[in-house]
Amino acid sequence: MAEVRRRAVLGGMAGAAALAAVPLRAQAAEGVRARRLTVEHVADPLGIDVGAPRFSWQLAASGTGRAQSAYRLVVASRPEKLGAPDVWDSRKVRSGEQTAQVYAGPPLRSRTRYHWAVEVWDEAGRPGQAGAAWFETAMLADGDWSADWIGTGAVLTPPVRVLPPRQFTAVPLDAGHTLGQTFRADGPHTGFTVLLKVDGTARCVMSLRQDGPQGTVVAEKVLDGLTGDRYGQAHGRLDFPQPLEPGAYYLELSAGQGNLGWYGLSYDAYPEGTAHVDGVPQTGDRWLCGIPPAPPADPLLRDEFDLPAPVASARLYLAGLGHATAWVNGGRVGDGELSPPATDFDVRSLYTTHDVTALLHQGRNALGIALGRGFFSTRAADTDGSDRARWIAEPRVKAQLEVRLTDGRAVTVTTSPDWLLTEGPTTSDGVYAGESYDARRARALVGWSSPGFDTTGWRPATRVDGPGGRLEAYAGEPVRAGGVIRPKNVTRHGDTWLYDFGVLLSGWTTFTAQLPEGATIRLLHSEKLGASGRIETQTPGGLENAMVDGRFQLDEYTATGTTETWRPSFTYKGFRYVEVTGAPGRLDLAAVPLHNDVADTMDIKVEHPVLQWIADAFHQTALNGLRGQLEPSAMYSKLGWTSSTYRAAQPLLYQFGVAAVMGKWLDDVRLGQAPDGEIPLISPMGTVAGGGLLTPSSTGVYPFLVRRYWLAYGDRTVPEKHYEPVKRYVGWLLGKLDDDIADDVFGDWYPPRPGDTPGPPEGNKLVGTAYVIRTLRDAIALAELLGDTAQVAAWSGRADGITRRFNEVFLDGDTYRTEIPTAYRQTSNAVPLAFGLVPAGRVRAVAARLAAEVEATRHLDTGALGVGALPYALSDHGRADLAHLVLGQRDYPSYGYLRDLGATTFWESWEADSRGRNDPTISSPVSWLVERVVGVEPLEPGWARFRVAPTPVLPSASAALDTVRGRVEVSWRRDGGTLALDVRVPVNAVAEVVLPNGARRLGSGHHHLTSPVG
C-alpha cells in the first residue's frame, strides 16, 4: 500500500554524510583529538529506537601523560548547525568520562537523522579538535508503525511429542510382552518415531492402533536388524502412505527379540496419554514423536508503487519472521544474513533499518520480500521441541518504506492485504535440518521483485497477528558472510564426493555448476567423520542427531539445466566436512562463514605452540557461535546457553567488539526472567524450570556479565538497567540454598574420562556453592556502583556466612573434599583458591596440595569449571611454572591433545570421540593468557586504569587490545636475566605496571621498561 503526502521534512533523512571533524573551537597545536565516535556502541547507527542514546569517543594526542579534563556534546538537525546546536548542548562537562555518556536533551523525533559532535579539553584545560558523526532514529513509538503484519494466513498444528528433553531410561521389551503409549494427535501426521535402547542386534513389531490397546490396527511394521549406536540408541519409525487424521491413538511394540528397550520416564509427564505394559496402563510415559506433513514452501511477497518525483532519501523498516531478505526493483537490500536475530518472539521481536535511496527511482517501483522460517516458524521436528515453541507460526512480515522526494513530498509503502504472495523456490528450511531449493521454481519467478512482473497465480496476502510483545530496532552488527574458504582435500567414494575444508566453521556452502534439469544434489554437512572415514548421520532423535525424521544438516538443490550458482538463504550449519551426492562430477564447492560482523579487538601472541593454539582455537570457536548470542555449536545447539556463555564471557570481551551483540543478549536474559527471579538456562528461546534447576555455575553469568560489561565498556547504563533483575535473581538463588549449600545441576561438566554422564564423579555441591559466593560478589560490586548501601551490607553478610559454611563443609586440612567420597580432583582445591575462598591460614597448605598433585601427574584433571580456575590457582600462589606446564601438555587429557588430533576449535570434551567439535565451554584459560601470561587486565571501568604485571615464564608474549579508550599494547621478552617490557597506554588512561624491580604508574604514550628477572 502506498500513500503520498506532502510535508517539508521526512524525519531525519535530511543531512549530509558525517563529517570527519567539526572545529567547534580553535584547535591548540598540542590538543587532544576526538575520534572513532559511536552511538549505542555502533558507528553512525542507522535506526535506533532509544530515547536517550549513549555517546562514546576515543582520543588521540602526541606525547605522554595525555588526558581529557572536560567534554561538550552537541546534537543538531544538520551538520552545519553543530557550531550553534539546535537540538541539544550539554555545555562543558568537567569529566574524564568518554564512554556511554547519555543524551539529556528534548525528546528525539522518530525516523530522524541527527548530527552530533564532541569537543574535548586536555589535561591542562586546552581545547582540542572535535569529532563529528551522526545517528538516525527509527520508530520511537508503536504509533509510528502504519504497516500490517501479513503472511499466508495458514495455521499448522504441531506434531506429537510425548516427552520434553530429559535424561531417559529404557524399559525392557521382554519376549512375549508388549510396551505401549497412548497419545493424542491434534493434527495430521505422516509417521511416528520411537527411541530405543539396543544392545547388539534386536527385532520387534511396531504397531499403531486407534484409541487404545484394543483398538483397530492402523499400521504395522517389523523393525528388523535394529542396532544401537555408540550410545546404545536406535530408531524405530512407522510411516503412512497418506497423512493420518487427528485422533486418539496407541503405539505398541511387540514380539521383541534381543536386548531391546523403549526409552521414557518413570513418572507421568504427558497429560494426554500414558505408558502401558501388556496393554495395562502404567505410571510414566514413553519417548514418541510425530512427523508432520511437509509445510508450505517459504513465501515471497511483493507490492508495486509509483513515485511521482525523484528520490531524495528512503528507509525500509523491516521485521520479517523468522528471517527476511528484501529486494527493491530487483536489487538486494543490504548484505545482512539470517536477519533479524532470534529472540523470545512473544516478548520482543527485532526489526532492522535500511537505506534504500539508491535502489528507487521516479516512476514505477517494486518491493519484494522473501521470508524464511528460522526459529520463529520452524516445522522440522527436533527433540528440543524447537517446532513446538509457544510462538510457532507461519512466516510473517511487517515492513514500512518511507520515501522523501526531492520536491518535499513523502511516500509511505506499508505491508497490507493489498500485497501479493506466492510460494518461493525455497521449498523447505529447518534450523537443524537444512534447506531445499528448487531452481526450476526460481526460473519461473525471475524478476519477481521488479516492476511489471506477471503475477498470474499469485494471491493476496493475509493480515495476521503479530508475534506479541514489543517490536524493537536492532542496529548492532548484522550477521554477514565472511571470506570464501576452499576445500583442503577432496576425495571420491563411488558417487559421493567428500570435501574437507581443513577448519571447522559455521555457515553454509556455495557452488557453481551446470547440472541436468531436474537433477537434485544433496550436500550433507558435519563437524566430523565417523569410523568409516565418511560422514555418518547418527540415530534420529538420539544424542548426535536431534532431528526426529533424521534429516540433519542436509541441503538439497534441484537444478534447471543451466550453469547455476547457489547457496542457502535461511539456514546455516556447523561443519568441516561436506559430502555431495547427485552431482555428475566434482563441484566447485566453497565454504562461507556466517557470524556477527564484529570487530576483532585482540591480537595475542605467546611463544608456546599449545598455549598459542588455545588463543587461536578460542577465536575460531567463539566466532563460529556469534549470531545475536553465543551459541555453543551450530551443529548441535544453536541456542544461547548460559553455561558456555559464562565460561567464554571474559575472553569474548577481550577478543571481539561485542558491546551491541552481548547487550542484546543481556536484554534477552532480563526479558526471559520469571517474576520470582529465576532466569532460564537458555536465553533466548528457553524457559524457566519452575525452581527445579539450580545451576549458579550457569545462570550466574547474568550478574557476572553485567559487571564485566561495565568494566570492559565503562557503560554505567547497563548496570542501571539490569540491577533490579539481578537483585531478583540473587534473591531467588539464595532462597534455593540448603543450609547455605548449593547443589549445582552440572558442576565441573565433562572432566576427563567421564562416566555414564558428563557430570563429575565428586558431585556438584562444592562448585555450586563457590559460584553462589562469586555471584554475590558480582552483585555486591553492582550495588556499590549504584549506591545501594543497604543491599551491599546485606549481601556482604550473606557472602561471608556462606563462605564460612563452605569451608566448614568442604575443607579438610589441605584438601577440599566433596559430599561424594572419590579420588581427589584438582577442581576441588583450584576453585576455592582461584575464587579467594580459602581461609588465610590455610592458603599455603591448600595451594601446596594442589601444586603437588599437578607436579605428580603433570596433567589437568578438570572439567569446564576447574580448567578455568586451575591456572589462576597455580599462578597466583607461586607456581606459574606448573600452570604453563599443565596447560601446555600434548598428551591426553590436554589442549595439546585436541590440537594434535587436528582440532581447530575447542571440543565439547577432552575425549577423542567427543560428540561436539565446537564448544566454548573450556574457554576460560584464555583470560589467564591475557591477564597472567601477557599480564594485562582492566582495573577501572572502560580501561581508565589497567594493570600490567607479566608472568615471564615463556620467552616472550604480547597482546594488543582495542579498548573503548583506544589501543592497549603490552609486549615483553626475556633476554637472559633481563625482562624487556613495552607498554602503550591510550590517551586518558593510566597503566599500573608491576615488575620485579618495583611498581610504577604510567600515563598515555609508549613506554619501554626493563627489570631483572629470576
Side-chain angles (χ1 to χ4, degrees), residues 144-158:
D144 294 329
W145 286 96
S146 55
D148 296 319
W149 285 99
I150 60 172
T152 65
V155 178
L156 304 183
T157 304

Side-chain angles (χ1 to χ4, degrees), residues 633-801:
S633 169
M635 183 166 180
Y636 294 112
S637 186
K638 295 178 167 74
L639 300 169
W641 283 82
T642 52
S643 51
S644 53
T645 303
Y646 202 163
R647 310 289 82 78
Q650 185 57 64
L652 194 70
L653 293 171
Y654 287 139
Q655 185 67 71
F656 300 108
V658 290
V661 174
M662 297 315 288
K664 177 263 181 193
W665 187 74
L666 283 172
D667 284 339
D668 289 328
V669 175
R670 174 178 58 86
L671 294 170
Q673 185 178 41
D676 66 355
E678 182 181 6
I679 64 174
L681 178 64
I682 294 169
S683 189
M685 300 181 293
T687 57
V688 292
L693 191 66
L694 180 63
T695 176
S697 71
S698 298
T699 54
V701 70
Y702 186 34
F704 176 85
L705 185 53
V706 171
R707 181 185 181 187
R708 290 290 171 162
Y709 189 107
W710 166 54
L711 191 62
Y713 299 119
D715 186 346
R716 181 187 173 98
T717 68
V718 170
E720 288 172 344
K721 177 192 284 189
H722 293 280
Y723 179 62
E724 289 301 323
V726 164
K727 279 179 65 176
R728 289 195 297 273
Y729 167 69
V730 172
W732 174 87
L733 177 63
L734 294 175
K736 294 297 178 183
L737 303 185
D738 181 4
D739 195 15
D740 278 352
I741 298 298
D743 192 357
D744 195 274
V745 169
F746 299 107
D748 195 27
W749 200 244
Y750 268 123
R753 305 172 188 86
D756 293 337
T757 72
E762 72 274 12
N764 303 331
K765 291 182 179 179
L766 185 152
V767 294
T769 307
Y771 270 87
V772 171
I773 300 167
R774 187 185 207 187
T775 295
L776 277 168
R777 290 174 175 175
D778 289 328
I780 289 166
L782 300 177
E784 288 174 339
L785 167 69
L786 300 176
D788 191 347
T789 54
Q791 194 64 73
V792 169
W795 281 339
S796 296
R798 289 291 275 133
D800 291 344

Side-chain angles (χ1 to χ4, degrees), residues 127-146:
Q129 184 180 34
W134 56 265
F135 66 93
E136 196 167 297
T137 58
M139 310 295 194
L140 296 180
D142 291 342
D144 294 329
W145 286 96
S146 55

Side-chain angles (χ1 to χ4, degrees), residues 421-503:
L421 173 150
T422 194
E423 282 68 43
T426 301
T427 56
S428 74
D429 78 82
V431 288
Y432 295 105
E435 196 161 327
S436 296
Y437 186 90
D438 191 337
R440 298 168 301 180
R441 176 68 175 153
R443 180 174 57 189
L445 290 165
V446 169
W448 71 275
S449 62
S450 296
F453 176 75
D454 182 0
T455 56
T456 301
W458 290 56
R459 62 190 185 276
T462 300
R463 183 183 288 113
V464 297
D465 292 334
R470 174 175 163 76
L471 192 57
E472 294 184 1
Y474 179 73
E477 297 87 354
V479 171
R480 287 193 173 101
V484 168
I485 300 172
R486 297 291 174 183
K488 299 295 184 184
N489 190 39
V490 182
T491 55
R492 185 172 185 174
H493 303 268
D495 294 332
T496 299
W497 293 83
L498 175 62
Y499 298 76
D500 177 1
F501 289 94
V503 62

Side-chain angles (χ1 to χ4, degrees), residues 653-964:
L653 293 171
Y654 287 139
Q655 185 67 71
F656 300 108
V658 290
V661 174
M662 297 315 288
K664 177 263 181 193
W665 187 74
L666 283 172
D667 284 339
D668 289 328
V669 175
R670 174 178 58 86
L671 294 170
Q673 185 178 41
D676 66 355
E678 182 181 6
I679 64 174
L681 178 64
I682 294 169
S683 189
M685 300 181 293
T687 57
V688 292
L693 191 66
L694 180 63
T695 176
S697 71
S698 298
T699 54
V701 70
Y702 186 34
F704 176 85
L705 185 53
V706 171
R707 181 185 181 187
R708 290 290 171 162
Y709 189 107
W710 166 54
L711 191 62
Y713 299 119
D715 186 346
R716 181 187 173 98
T717 68
V718 170
E720 288 172 344
K721 177 192 284 189
H722 293 280
Y723 179 62
E724 289 301 323
V726 164
K727 279 179 65 176
R728 289 195 297 273
Y729 167 69
V730 172
W732 174 87
L733 177 63
L734 294 175
K736 294 297 178 183
L737 303 185
D738 181 4
D739 195 15
D740 278 352
I741 298 298
D743 192 357
D744 195 274
V745 169
F746 299 107
D748 195 27
W749 200 244
Y750 268 123
R753 305 172 188 86
D756 293 337
T757 72
E762 72 274 12
N764 303 331
K765 291 182 179 179
L766 185 152
V767 294
T769 307
Y771 270 87
V772 171
I773 300 167
R774 187 185 207 187
T775 295
L776 277 168
R777 290 174 175 175
D778 289 328
I780 289 166
L782 300 177
E784 288 174 339
L785 167 69
L786 300 176
D788 191 347
T789 54
Q791 194 64 73
V792 169
W795 281 339
S796 296
R798 289 291 275 133
D800 291 344
I802 296 171
T803 302
R804 286 192 297 272
R805 180 64 178 152
F806 175 85
N807 287 304
E808 289 170 3
V809 172
F810 301 115
L811 181 56
D812 180 12
D814 63 359
T815 304
Y816 279 85
R817 304 192 184 279
T818 64
E819 71 275 15
I820 300 174
T822 185
Y824 169 82
R825 283 205 322 114
Q826 296 160 0
T827 297
S828 297
N829 271 21
V831 166
L833 284 167
F835 286 15
L837 306 180
V838 185
R842 301 281 192 91
V843 169
R844 179 174 296 180
V846 172
R849 172 70 174 90
L850 176 64
E853 197 278 336
V854 172
E855 202 155 24
T857 64
R858 303 177 72 83
H859 283 86
L860 56 82
D861 186 22
T862 53
L865 306 185
V867 76
L870 180 62
Y872 283 98
L874 293 169
S875 292
D876 293 351
H877 296 90
R879 295 309 305 267
D881 59 321
L882 290 180
H884 287 72
L885 170 72
V886 74
L887 289 187
Q889 290 287 27
R890 294 182 61 175
D891 52 342
Y892 176 86
S894 69
Y895 289 99
Y897 177 72
L898 298 181
R899 172 181 177 265
D900 290 349
L901 287 173
T904 59
T905 51
F906 294 147
W907 289 4
E908 188 177 31
S909 74
W910 302 111
E911 313 308 309
D913 63 352
S914 177
R915 181 192 71 147
R917 300 293 175 91
N918 191 100
D919 195 316
T921 304
I922 56 171
S923 296
S924 297
V926 176
S927 296
W928 172 79
L929 291 175
V930 178
E931 297 168 3
R932 296 298 184 268
V933 177
V934 177
V936 57
E937 61 180 319
L939 298 176
E940 290 184 4
W943 289 81
R945 185 168 63 93
F946 59 93
R947 178 168 51 227
V948 177
T951 306
V953 174
L954 302 178
S956 68
S958 66
L961 296 115
D962 290 321
T963 75
V964 290

